[in-house]
Amino acid sequence: MRVSKTFRKYRKQIWTGVALVFGVALLALLAWIFHLDRKITAQFEGRRWTLPAQVYAEPTELYVGLPLTADSLERELQRLGYRRTAEASDAGSYERRGSRITFVSRRFQFFDGLQESQEISIAANAQGIQDMTNASGEDVPIFRLDPLLIGSIFPIHGEDRVIVTPEEVPPLLPAALKVVEDRKFDTHHGVDLGAIMRAAFVNLRAGQIQQGGSTLTQQLVKSYFLDSRRTFGRKLEEAMMAVLLEIHFEKQDLMNAYINEIYLGQDGRRAVHGFGLASQFYFGKPAAELQLHEIALLVAIVRGPSYYDPRRHAERVRARRDMVLKLMAEHGVIESTDAQKAIKQPLGVVSSTTLAGGYYPAFLDLVRRTLRRDYREEDLTEAGLRIFSTLNPFAQNQAERALTQELDRLEKARKRKSNVPLEGVVVVTSPQNGEVIAIVGGRNASFEGFNRALDAKRSIGSLVKPVIYLAAVESGRFHAASIIEDGPVEVKLSNNRTWRPQNISEQYYGPVPLVRALAQSLNLATVRLGMEVGLPEVTREFQELGLPEAPPQLPSVLLGAVDVSPFEVAQLYNSLANGGFNAPLRAVRAVVDEQGKPLKAFGLEVTPVADPAAVYQLNRMLVHVMDHGTGRGARAYLPADLVVAGKSGTSSDYRDSWFAGFSGSHLAVVWIGHDDNSPTGLTGSSGSLAVWARVMKALGTTSWNAPAPETLEETWIEFLSGLEAKPGCGEDIIAVPLPKGTELPFAPGCEVGVFDNIGERAREWWRGITR
C-alpha cells in the first residue's frame, strides 16, 4: 500500500524522467541517423572513388609488310584477351581460316584520338602481313590494336579498380549477383528482415557472429564506409546506412556502385576491387566481354576472394561456380541447357597476372618517377589519368623468361653452392628513340620492392672500356689499328702508394692494336691508353654520354671502379648505339585526363654528344668483341648473319657480371650478382652474356648496319698485330674503318701489290664513266 502511495506521489516525476530519457535517446538516435546521412551523402555523391592512373603498354601497329605471321598475330590477339569464335561479330572476338584472321577491335581512346570498334581482316604468311582490309573490303594502311593495361599507380592503401558504367556491364552479372547474394534486392529497402532474423538466431545460439544476413546494399556499405569488425554495433550501423542509401539512391545506381566497389582478390600489395579490374586480372579482357561461365566464376569469388582464389584453389572455386550456374538456371535467369554448357567450360583464368592486367613493378616504378616531375602524387593516384607507356609486353616477357632460365641454370651448374641466391636485372631499349621497352628488376619480376634496375649502384668493370676507347679515338691520336703496349703498369697514387693492375689472365700480350685490346678486354693496355688520353678527358666522356655526373678522376676508374645502376648503363650505351647522339631514356609517351583530353606528350629529345665518326669506329670495334673477343659466346644463340656490338664487364673478385650490347633495333643491359655484394664466381661472359643473347634472339632483332662516315675507309689488318694485310692472307684478318690517308706497316708476306686490286679498280672506273 505504501509503495502504491509513493508511486502515486512521485508518478508525475517518474513519467517525466522516463519521457526525458526517451526524448534524449530519441534525439541521440536522430542525431546519429543525421550524422550517418551526412556521411553517406558527403562521400557517395559526386566522385565516389579515387581513380588510380591507368598505365597502358605500347600498342601493336599492324600494316602490310610487317613481319608478323598469322600464328604470331593470333597469339597477340589472345594476349589481349580476344576470344576465338566461329564468326567474329562482337568486339574482342576473332575468327581464323588458314592464314587469314578476321577480328573485331575494341573501341579505345588513344592519346591522339578515339578509335571506334572495327572489323579488320588480315592475310599473313611466313614473310608477314600481305593484305589488310576493313569490313567494306577497303585497304587499311595501318591499324592499332588496343593496348594492354599493364597496371595502375595506386595509392598507399593499395586499392585499385577499373570503373565500369552500367552500359559496360553484361546484363547477366547483376542478375547473377541477385540470385546468389540478395534475391530480394529489387524489393527490400536496404535490409532483409527475414535474412537478419535467420542470421540472428544462428549467432545467438553460437554466442558470436557466425552468419550474416547482409543484402547487397549492406555489403556495399561494409566495403565502402566501414571496417571489417564483426560486432552487433557495427551490424546495426551497417543496416541503418543501408536504409539511408536506399532512400537517397536508385537501385540501378547502387548495383553499379557494388559492381565497382566489391573486393575480389589480391595481387601483391594491390587490392583488386570491382568487376572491371577483376575481369582484367582473371581473364585479361574488359568486363563487357565476359562470357556466362566467367561471370559465374567472378560471382563465386565474391563470397571469399582468398578462399575461392582460382589460381590456388581451382577445384574449390569450380564447384562454387557450377553452383552459381545451377542457381541461375533454377531462378530462370538462364536456360538449363546454357548452364550445362557453361559447366563444361574450363575456368579460363589466365595463367599469370602479367598476362591479365597485372602490373610490372620495376617498369611502373620508372613511370611513376618520370611523372612525379610534372604531377602531384594525388593526381597520379586519384585523378583517373591514363598513361601511355613505351613497354612492349612481348619484350618484357622474353626478358623475364631469359633471366629466370639462365639464373636457374647457373645456380645448378655452380660447384660451390651459395646460401645467397643469384639476382639479375635486364633493361631493354630502342636506341633510336630512347624508349624503354622492358625492365626486369629482379629474379621475381612481380615482386614490388627494391628496384635493382634503377637503384642498385654496382661496379661495372670492363663496361667502362668503350668510353675510354671513344675518348682516345676522339682525341685524334688513336684509331682501331693504333698500337698500345699491354705490359706491366705502375701508377703513383696521391697517398704515395703504387697501383699495379693486372690482366684477368695475369699474362702480358705485348704490343697490340686497340681493336684487339678492346675485344679481348686487356686491362693493362686499357689503363695505359686511359692514362695517355688523360683522366679528365676520360671522366668527362662518361657525363657527356649520359651519366648524371662524371666519376672521380682516379686511375681505378679505368678498370671499372664506377658504381652505376643498370639503367644508367643503358643510357650510356644508348648514346653509342645511337651513333653519338644522346636520347634520354623514357618510359612515357603521353598522358591524358579522365575524359581523354591530352595533357602532356613526352617527345623525342636528341642531343649530339660525341663525334659520329669516332663512335662509328668504336662500334665497329665492339662488333669485333662479339666475333673475336669476350662476346663470341653469344654466337651459340644468335643467327650467324646477325651483326651485333657489345661488351662484357666483370667487377673485382667476380662480384658483378655484366653485359651491354646492341643491334640495329635493340639495346640490352644485363647484370647478375648477389644482393649482399658477395662474389659470384662469374665473369660477364660466363654469366650475363647468355641472358643478353637469349633476349636478342627472342626479340627477332635486326643487324647493326650504320652507314660509314665519308671521312673513313675500310682497311684490312691482322687482328693480333694491327699490321695491314689483304683478305685471305693469314688466319685472323679483319676489316676496320680508319681515317682516310692512314698508313700502316704491312704484315710480312701480306703486302698489297700494285695489281692486287686491279679488278676492283676496273669496276670502279667503269661505274664512274657509265653514271
Side-chain angles (χ1 to χ4, degrees):
M1 182 66 70
R2 183 175 300 173
V3 174
S4 178
K5 288 182 179 180
T6 303
F7 176 77
R8 286 197 299 270
K9 180 178 179 180
Y10 294 102
R11 179 171 56 185
K12 185 176 181 180
Q13 290 90 331
I14 292 173
W15 283 115
T16 300
V18 171
L20 183 61
V21 171
F22 179 79
V24 171
L26 181 61
L27 287 175
L29 176 63
L30 292 175
W32 177 63
I33 294 174
F34 180 75
H35 165 72
L36 294 180
D37 189 75
R38 289 292 299 272
K39 181 179 180 179
I40 286 172
T41 54
Q43 294 187 31
F44 210 69
E45 289 180 344
R47 180 188 288 274
R48 293 174 182 171
W49 296 279
T50 57
L51 300 179
Q54 295 179 347
V55 184
Y56 291 91
E58 172 192 37
T60 299
E61 293 188 340
L62 306 174
Y63 54 88
V64 173
L66 178 69
L68 188 72
T69 65
D71 289 342
S72 297
L73 175 58
E74 184 172 23
R75 284 194 295 270
E76 178 70 11
L77 292 172
Q78 290 173 344
R79 184 175 61 82
L80 292 173
Y82 282 65
R83 66 189 185 283
R84 184 169 182 172
T85 60
E87 182 177 356
S89 57
D90 300 322
S93 65
Y94 76 94
E95 62 180 89
R96 179 173 181 178
R97 296 177 182 175
S99 61
R100 180 169 291 277
I101 294 177
T102 301
F103 63 88
V104 180
S105 69
R106 298 174 178 127
R107 186 176 186 267
F108 190 82
Q109 177 73 51
F110 286 94
F111 62 88
D112 56 358
L114 176 66
Q115 180 176 278
E116 296 288 352
S117 175
Q118 300 180 48
E119 180 182 303
I120 301 294
S121 182
I122 293 176
N125 57 22
Q127 285 69 48
I129 296 179
Q130 301 302 304
D131 73 75
M132 183 165 64
T133 58
N134 58 22
S136 302
E138 301 168 333
D139 289 338
V140 177
I142 190 168
F143 187 82
R144 283 182 296 190
L145 290 173
D146 48 291
L148 183 70
L149 176 64
I150 61 171
S152 305
I153 301 177
F154 46 85
I156 193 67
H157 56 65
E159 282 191 15
D160 194 10
R161 59 174 47 82
V162 173
I163 300 298
V164 291
T165 65
E167 293 74 26
E168 295 170 326
V169 176
L172 286 177
L173 176 55
L177 286 170
K178 292 175 190 177
V179 166
V180 177
E181 297 292 330
D182 187 359
R183 293 172 196 167
K184 295 184 179 180
F185 176 77
D186 292 325
T187 58
H188 66 60
H189 299 288
V191 295
D192 182 351
L193 294 178
I196 290 176
M197 294 300 294
R198 288 192 298 272
F201 178 74
V202 172
N203 296 335
L204 286 171
R205 288 185 59 183
Q208 59 182 336
I209 294 179
Q210 286 189 342
Q211 187 180 106
S214 299
T215 62
L216 286 177
T217 313
Q218 288 175 272
Q219 292 180 42
L220 174 61
V221 167
K222 176 182 175 181
S223 179
Y224 192 88
F225 295 102
L226 304 175
D227 55 40
S228 59
R229 289 177 299 166
R230 297 172 65 87
T231 65
F232 289 105
R234 197 202 62 85
K235 290 295 291 183
L236 180 61
E237 185 178 11
E238 174 189 297
M240 180 54 67
M241 293 180 81
V243 172
L244 292 172
L245 266 183
E246 294 270 356
I247 292 173
H248 285 288
F249 301 98
E250 299 293 332
K251 289 286 188 180
Q252 184 184 29
D253 198 15
L254 295 176
M255 175 60 77
N256 187 245
Y258 180 91
I259 287 172
N260 283 305
E261 169 62 27
I262 201 68
Y263 171 69
L264 287 166
Q266 195 73 28
D267 184 19
R269 75 177 185 89
R270 178 178 74 149
V272 178
H273 281 257
F275 285 83
L277 182 58
S279 179
Q280 294 282 357
F281 180 63
Y282 291 114
F283 302 114
K285 64 172 68 174
E289 296 175 16
L290 288 173
Q291 302 298 294
L292 173 58
H293 65 284
E294 295 165 338
I295 290 172
L297 178 64
L298 294 183
V299 172
I301 293 173
V302 170
R303 183 57 60 92
S306 178
Y307 188 77
Y308 291 110
D309 184 341
R311 294 193 176 98
R312 292 189 300 165
H313 308 297
E315 292 305 315
R316 182 185 296 168
V317 74
R318 185 182 188 114
R320 181 159 177 82
R321 181 203 70 173
D322 294 349
M323 182 207 75
V324 171
L325 289 167
K326 292 174 182 176
L327 285 174
M328 292 174 72
E330 289 175 10
H331 290 81
V333 175
I334 59 175
E335 298 293 334
S336 297
T337 54
D338 294 331
Q340 291 304 315
K341 289 179 182 178
I343 286 173
K344 294 178 182 178
Q345 293 289 330
L347 293 180
V349 176
V350 290
S351 58
S352 74
T353 57
T354 299
L355 297 175
Y359 66 105
Y360 302 83
F363 186 86
L364 287 176
D365 186 21
L366 176 59
V367 170
R368 185 190 287 263
R369 297 188 195 194
T370 300
L371 295 175
R372 277 176 177 164
R373 297 196 293 262
D374 301 294
Y375 298 94
R376 300 175 305 165
E377 185 69 16
E378 51 266 38
D379 292 330
L380 299 177
T381 59
E382 299 178 6
L385 300 180
R386 305 179 85 189
I387 315 300
F388 292 90
S389 79
T390 60
L391 183 129
N392 182 315
F394 175 77
Q396 177 73 28
N397 294 338
Q398 294 303 317
E400 290 177 8
R401 181 178 294 110
L403 180 63
T404 301
Q405 290 177 346
E406 195 59 26
L407 290 181
D408 289 344
R409 186 192 68 79
L410 288 170
E411 290 193 327
K412 290 178 181 178
R414 284 200 292 184
K415 296 178 181 178
R416 184 174 60 85
K417 299 297 181 182
S418 171
N419 293 327
V420 182
L422 286 173
E423 272 295 350
V425 168
V426 182
V427 179
V428 186
T429 74
S430 295
Q432 289 76 13
N433 54 26
E435 291 186 344
V436 180
I437 64 173
I439 292 184
V440 185
R443 189 169 192 162
N444 181 1
S446 62
F447 173 74
E448 185 169 9
F450 180 63
N451 191 341
R452 298 174 187 84
L454 303 184
D455 298 324
K457 304 277 188 175
R458 305 294 287 252
S459 177
I460 60 175
S462 293
L463 288 190
V464 303
K465 289 177 180 174
V467 181
I468 300 167
Y469 284 68
L470 176 61
V473 175
E474 280 197 299
S475 73
R477 294 183 285 144
F478 298 91
H479 50 67
S482 296
I483 303 301
I484 194 78
E485 179 71 21
D486 185 75
V489 173
E490 293 187 356
V491 179
K492 297 294 184 181
L493 304 178
S494 58
N495 57 4
N496 294 323
R497 300 179 66 181
T498 301
W499 181 49
R500 298 182 179 88
Q502 290 289 329
N503 284 327
I504 195 169
S505 65
E506 298 184 351
Q507 298 179 5
Y508 305 125
Y509 297 90
V512 295
L514 260 63
V515 62
R516 178 187 173 188
L518 181 59
Q520 295 183 340
S521 202
L522 302 181
N523 290 342
L524 299 177
T526 300
V527 170
R528 180 170 277 107
L529 178 66
M531 296 303 292
E532 288 191 27
V533 173
L535 288 175
E537 288 74 14
V538 170
T539 55
R540 184 170 60 248
E541 193 81 64
F542 281 95
Q543 190 169 14
E544 290 178 349
L545 290 174
L547 284 191
E549 58 185 25
Q553 294 180 19
L554 300 173
S556 57
V557 167
L558 301 175
L559 291 184
V562 182
D563 291 341
V564 296
S565 70
F567 187 79
E568 290 171 332
V569 172
Q571 182 67 76
L572 195 74
Y573 272 71
N574 206 77
S575 296
L576 301 180
N578 216 12
F581 292 86
N582 178 271
L585 297 183
R586 59 194 179 116
V588 179
R589 288 181 174 176
V591 179
V592 302
D593 64 15
E594 190 178 354
Q595 286 73 42
K597 178 182 177 182
L599 297 179
K600 184 176 178 64
F602 293 76
L604 176 63
E605 301 175 9
V606 178
T607 305
V609 293
D611 175 26
V615 175
Y616 180 82
Q617 294 176 71
L618 172 68
N619 289 347
R620 285 286 297 275
M621 286 192 269
L622 292 176
V623 171
H624 288 300
V625 171
M626 307 304 296
D627 294 332
H628 297 83
T630 57
R632 62 185 179 274
R635 288 299 165 195
Y637 302 90
L638 301 175
D641 59 347
L642 182 68
V643 179
V644 290
K647 186 69 187 76
S648 61
T650 309
S651 66
S652 60
D653 299 325
Y654 302 96
R655 298 176 187 275
D656 303 278
S657 168
W658 291 89
F659 199 88
F662 52 89
S663 64
S665 51
H666 297 97
L667 177 144
V669 174
V670 179
W671 168 84
I672 293 176
H674 289 146
D675 281 340
D676 65 357
N677 206 28
S678 59
T680 65
L682 299 171
T683 65
S685 299
S686 65
S688 294
L689 175 61
V691 179
W692 182 89
R694 286 176 182 270
V695 171
M696 283 296 189
K697 179 182 178 182
L699 293 177
T701 192
T702 59
S703 286
W704 180 80
N705 188 27
E710 295 181 354
T711 57
L712 304 176
E713 62 183 357
E714 290 288 297
T715 303
W716 293 88
I717 66 170
E718 284 187 343
F719 174 74
L720 294 179
S721 68
L723 299 175
E724 187 170 353
K726 58 184 178 180
C729 181
E731 295 182 357
D732 234 349
I733 308 301
I734 64 171
V736 294
L738 301 179
K740 287 183 176 179
T742 301
E743 295 184 0
L744 301 175
F746 287 99
C750 291
E751 294 85 352
V752 179
V754 66
F755 297 109
D756 286 350
N757 293 332
I758 190 169
E760 179 61 29
R761 292 172 181 171
R763 284 192 293 272
E764 288 293 327
W765 173 81
W766 179 253
R767 283 197 292 265
I769 65 174
T770 55
R771 284 174 183 167

